[in-house]
């Protein structure tokens, strides 16, 4: 009924700290306290169950990510000696030297690296790829085929380190502020359009390198072919 929808909407706003207690008291007076509190309890239970599931999923995701990162670091350590020798050789002949390379998650709309809200994985969505790229330099040239770099030696899937919360656009950016309470209710009951509410995040590789006495910086999307210089 319309009254039930109104109750659910306003209680959802309360759960999101968007409704005053005065409005809730008025709602209890008009529709009855039992009806309001029953809706409050149902929505609170749904929120708690979802939080438990999200916490379990986050823990499993972090375990898998940590393992992949450890394997990538081990591979990078094995690549280090050859990378150092390649760098020395290139420096002697004024060839291709990788000064710095970052593989991470980029916001396509802003062109900036993202900052993750998940503090337990705050740095996992970015990795230093300097050694890995210098390792593949041969005869003053670097070529990497057009596949996701997560499949290359010494890399891992940085996009997988981004939490679901970070994939979502902020509510204020997604909807008009005046409709914020209804928008949050739609998220709670699973009515929101997930495609409209997802940020355009992509894995990218930024390379700063020196060649023929000059420094350059280039940005590549994950599946771009890399040909340097």
């Amino acid at each position: 009924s319309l009254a039930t929808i109104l109750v659910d909407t306003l209680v959802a706003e309360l759960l999101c700290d968007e409704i005053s207690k005065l409005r809730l008291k008025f709602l209890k007076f008009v529709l009855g306290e039992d009806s309001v509190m029953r809706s409050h309890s149902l929505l609170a239970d749904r929120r708690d169950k979802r939080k438990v599931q999200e916490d379990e999923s986050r823990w499993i995701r972090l375990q898998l990510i940590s393992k992949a990162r450890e394997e990538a670091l081990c591979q990078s350590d094995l690549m280090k000696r050859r990378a150092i020798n390649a760098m020395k050789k290139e420096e002697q002949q004024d060839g291709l030297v990788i000064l710095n390379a970052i593989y991470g998650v980029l916001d396509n709309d802003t062109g900036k690296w993202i900052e993750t809200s998940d503090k337990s994985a705050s740095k996992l969505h970015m990795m230093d790829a300097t050694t890995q790229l210098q390792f593949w330099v041969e005869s003053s040239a670097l070529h990497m085929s057009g596949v996701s770099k997560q499949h290359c030696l010494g890399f891992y899937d940085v996009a997988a380190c981004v939490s679901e919360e970070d994939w979502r656009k902020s509510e204020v950016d997604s909807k008009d502020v005046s409709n914020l309470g209804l928008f949050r209710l739609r998220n709670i009951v699973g009515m929101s359009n997930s495609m409209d509410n997802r940020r355009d995040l992509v894995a990218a590789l930024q390379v700063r390198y020196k060649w023929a006495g000059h420094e350059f910086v280039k940005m590549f999307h994950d599946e771009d072919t890399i040909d340097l210089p």
Side-chain angles (χ1 to χ4, degrees), residues 53-79:
Q53 293 174 345
E54 289 177 349
D55 288 344
E56 290 177 350
S57 297
R58 183 180 295 110
W59 184 85
I60 293 173
R61 180 175 61 86
L62 285 176
Q63 299 307 306
L64 295 174
I65 290 170
S66 297
K67 183 177 180 180
R69 182 173 181 269
E70 288 176 5
E71 291 177 353
L73 288 174
C74 288
Q75 293 170 358
S76 177
D77 286 341
L78 295 174
M79 302 167 78

Side-chain angles (χ1 to χ4, degrees), residues 133 142-146 149 155 205 207 220-228:
L133 265 60
L142 171 65
H143 174 79
M144 299 183 74
S145 58
K149 304 306 174 283
F155 287 78
L205 179 65
V207 186
F220 301 91
H221 278 188
D222 193 24
E223 297 185 0
D224 287 349
T225 299
I226 298 177
D227 282 301
L228 296 178

Side-chain angles (χ1 to χ4, degrees), residues 9-223:
T9 302
L10 295 179
V11 171
E13 291 179 351
L14 178 65
L15 293 175
C16 298
D17 299 325
E18 291 293 332
I19 185 173
S20 68
K21 292 183 178 180
L22 181 61
R23 285 179 64 186
L24 185 62
K25 288 181 179 179
F26 175 75
L27 193 61
K28 290 178 181 179
F29 174 76
V30 173
L31 299 174
E33 183 170 353
D34 290 344
S35 178
V36 173
M37 296 312 296
R38 185 165 55 251
S39 297
H40 182 286
S41 178
L42 289 173
L43 288 172
D45 288 345
R46 181 177 296 178
R47 182 186 62 177
D48 291 342
K49 289 178 181 178
R50 187 177 65 173
K51 186 178 185 304
V52 170
Q53 293 174 345
E54 289 177 349
D55 288 344
E56 290 177 350
S57 297
R58 183 180 295 110
W59 184 85
I60 293 173
R61 180 175 61 86
L62 285 176
Q63 299 307 306
L64 295 174
I65 290 170
S66 297
K67 183 177 180 180
R69 182 173 181 269
E70 288 176 5
E71 291 177 353
L73 288 174
C74 288
Q75 293 170 358
S76 177
D77 286 341
L78 295 174
M79 302 167 78
K80 190 168 294 184
R81 177 178 294 181
R82 176 175 171 177
I84 292 174
N85 291 336
M87 180 185 68
K88 291 179 179 179
K89 181 179 179 180
E90 295 296 327
E91 285 179 334
Q92 292 173 356
Q93 59 191 27
D94 209 11
L96 179 59
V97 176
I98 307 299
L99 300 175
N100 180 254
I102 298 174
Y103 182 56
V105 180
L106 192 75
D107 188 326
N108 240 354
D109 292 331
T110 64
K112 297 179 179 179
W113 301 114
I114 70 164
E115 293 291 336
T116 179
S117 60
D118 189 348
K119 300 306 179 184
S120 59
S122 58
K123 298 298 182 183
L124 295 177
H125 67 291
M126 298 183 70
M127 59 165 283
D128 188 327
T130 308
T131 295
Q132 292 86 323
L133 265 60
Q134 189 69 63
F135 177 88
W136 294 111
V137 172
E138 188 172 353
S139 301
S140 297
L142 171 65
H143 174 79
M144 299 183 74
S145 58
V147 298
S148 175
K149 304 306 174 283
Q150 64 173 291
H151 303 303
C152 297
L153 197 64
F155 287 78
Y156 63 93
D157 187 1
V158 291
C161 304
V162 181
S163 68
E164 184 60 31
E165 181 180 351
D166 288 314
W167 276 102
R168 292 194 294 265
K169 294 180 181 178
S170 67
E171 293 167 350
V172 175
D173 292 341
S174 301
K175 300 290 178 181
D176 185 80
V177 175
S178 62
N179 294 325
L180 189 55
L182 180 58
F183 173 64
R184 283 178 168 170
L185 169 68
R186 289 168 64 86
N187 277 343
I188 290 174
V189 299
M191 294 168 58
S192 62
N193 187 328
S194 59
M195 293 303 295
D196 292 341
N197 193 37
R198 290 181 71 81
R199 298 166 67 188
D200 186 12
L201 304 183
V202 295
L205 179 65
Q206 178 180 282
V207 186
R208 184 167 66 89
Y209 64 96
K210 183 171 66 175
W211 180 73
H214 300 281
E215 287 191 18
F216 305 88
V217 178
K218 288 188 178 181
M219 179 73 77
F220 301 91
H221 278 188
D222 193 24
E223 297 185 0

